[in-house]
Amino acid sequence: MSKYTIDTATSRATPTPAPMKRVTAPAVRARKGGDPLVMLTAYDVRMAQLLDPHCDMLLVGDSLGQVVYGLPSTVPVTLEMMAAHGAAVVRGSWHAMVVIDMPFGSYEASPADAFASAARLLKETGAAAVKLEGGEAMAETIAFLSKRGIPVMAHIGLTPQAVNQLGGYGARGRGEAEAARILADARAVGDAGCFAMVVEGVVEPVAAAVTEAVGCPTIGIGASPRCDGQVLVSEDMLGMFDRVPRFVQRYEELAGRISAAAERFAGEVRTRTFPSAEQIYQG
Ligand code: KIV
């Protein structure tokens, strides 16, 4: 494990004593079938600083629509939002590869549109790769970007940007036909050249079949341990929300701790016990 100090003046996670290189797309691809890949979402500089030493990849997920902005889904998220948060995450990290989500509407219409959006995100943020949702229908776009120097992480199975078409966020791949479609999606995006793919919300046999079928690493979320790595939304695993999907493991209960701290602060302000002598500038 590398040691990091946090330089709060520059917001950079600074490794000590010897500088390390960031994880790269080829390095991620080479981990197929090897040590499991670790990815967590980050949307801001401080979270990036804290997560960076422990992760191979930080994902600036469009889940920020719900988590940060209180939107009902990822559909309203814009390129501007992604660019602002992506730049903060890059400033707050040093070691992990930063992958940034292409928001709904910024890439589906044509490969040329996708290139313009992806190039803008990489230029404005310093992120090293983009992620986009979709299977066979996105294969041409993934090939177009990959051949032009933009590493693409695919995202198949449950694709939240398609919630209006899917009708909800239920697990995918239960019937034979749907399982076959997901496998075909995986093969298509793999053949198109994605360096890794998120496999979201699929039943275990489908996750296993996909992982076996493709030459790049699969990163599961709600997709069993039969993937080459795992990703979670950080706020879910930190216990920031009352309700989380079944596949989430909470590693902390931050919501309760934050609420308790705010309650103590409020109590001390109201009883005039804060600020105390220690926090007062003397004349
Ligand atoms: O937006 C996001 O956070 C994601 C993960 C759930 C994989 O796409």
Side-chain angles (χ1 to χ4, degrees), residues 116-127:
S117 301
R120 175 175 170 195
L121 286 178
L122 297 196
K123 279 171 188 280
E124 291 187 13
T125 66

Side-chain angles (χ1 to χ4, degrees), residues 41 43 59 61-63 101 131 133 155 198 200 221 231 233:
T41 59
Y43 316 121
L59 173 65
D62 62 352
S63 50
D101 256 335
K131 176 165 83 58
E133 296 184 9
H155 183 152
V198 166
E200 178 165 358
I221 174 163
V231 57
V233 170

Side-chain angles (χ1 to χ4, degrees), residues 12 37 45 66 87 103 105 107 119 142-143 150 152 157 163 167-168 180 184 193 195 231-232 244 250 252:
R12 290 238 169 228
L37 286 153
V45 69
Q66 289 112 315
Y107 63 95
I142 292 172
I150 299 183
V152 180
V163 62
F195 74 95
V231 57
L232 282 177
V244 286
R250 290 171 190 258
E252 249 301 346

Side-chain angles (χ1 to χ4, degrees), residues 106-236:
S106 71
Y107 63 95
E108 299 90 334
S110 72
D113 277 355
F115 186 85
S117 301
R120 175 175 170 195
L121 286 178
L122 297 196
K123 279 171 188 280
E124 291 187 13
T125 66
V130 296
K131 176 165 83 58
L132 58 83
E133 296 184 9
E136 283 180 312
M138 282 300 121
E140 187 192 348
T141 295
I142 292 172
F144 190 90
L145 298 186
S146 303
K147 285 183 194 143
R148 287 161 178 77
I150 299 183
V152 180
M153 178 178 282
H155 183 152
I156 61 160
L158 171 62
T159 48
Q161 292 176 6
V163 62
N164 291 318
Q165 194 175 44
L166 299 175
Y169 297 103
R172 319 292 300 163
R174 286 214 162 91
E176 250 176 56
E178 199 171 84
R181 246 193 333 270
I182 294 170
L183 194 54
D185 281 341
R187 289 202 169 102
V189 296
D191 290 349
C194 65
F195 74 95
M197 68 180 78
V198 166
V199 181
E200 178 165 358
V202 303
V203 294
E204 184 167 12
V206 172
V210 164
T211 299
E212 179 127 329
V214 298
C216 69
T218 55
I219 316 290
I221 174 163
S224 86
R226 311 282 294 274
C227 294
D228 297 300
Q230 297 291 326
V231 57
L232 282 177
V233 170
S234 296
E235 283 73 4
D236 283 345

